[in-house]
Amino acid sequence: MAGHNGNGFDPAKLTAAQTAPPSFQDINGTRFTNNHVTIDPGDHGGTAGCTSTLGQSGAMAAESTACMWMTTTTFGGITYLPKPDLQQMVFGTGPETLGPIMRDIRAQVEHRR
């Protein structure tokens, strides 16, 4: 989890990044699929989105997700990176799981003055 406050943040840039089409990349036999979605930012407003990356190598796969929010004065996010374990598949950490966690953390750490 990381967060910043200040000014000059542009929520439209986050929205543009989160509405990009899925992208695919092959690196040394491992295929990476990146998917971007917008999500509900929660009660504090602004914009929010998640990026999920699915790495597949042979019969093994793992999903990693990052969810972020942005207003003109705050920016923050959380990232889930699965423990590398070649003995099991790791799924179920997408935006539908991490998005609500991000909103809960944001509600606890972001306060208005």
Side-chain angles (χ1 to χ4, degrees):
M1 190 270 170
H4 306 277
N5 65 342
N7 56 35
F9 299 118
D10 184 356
K13 289 183 179 179
L14 180 62
T15 300
Q18 297 306 327
T19 56
S23 63
F24 308 94
Q25 187 176 23
D26 286 309
I27 301 174
N28 298 326
T30 300
R31 181 176 176 88
F32 293 94
T33 304
N34 298 299
N35 189 36
H36 316 282
V37 297
T38 57
I39 62 168
D40 176 10
D43 293 341
H44 291 204
T47 61
C50 297
T51 298
S52 288
T53 300
L54 178 63
Q56 297 171 284
S57 181
M60 300 308 300
E63 181 179 35
S64 174
T65 302
C67 294
M68 299 141 272
W69 76 84
M70 186 182 292
T71 69
T72 57
T73 58
T74 64
F75 173 73
I78 63 172
T79 302
Y80 174 81
L81 298 170
K83 176 183 173 191
D85 184 344
L86 299 178
Q87 302 305 312
Q88 65 181 6
M89 308 267 281
V90 181
F91 292 104
T93 59
E96 65 285 343
T97 300
L98 206 58
I101 294 170
M102 182 217 64
R103 285 189 293 274
D104 289 345
I105 290 172
R106 181 182 182 196
Q108 293 175 32
V109 300
E110 186 179 70
H111 300 280
R112 296 180 189 250
R113 292 185 195 203

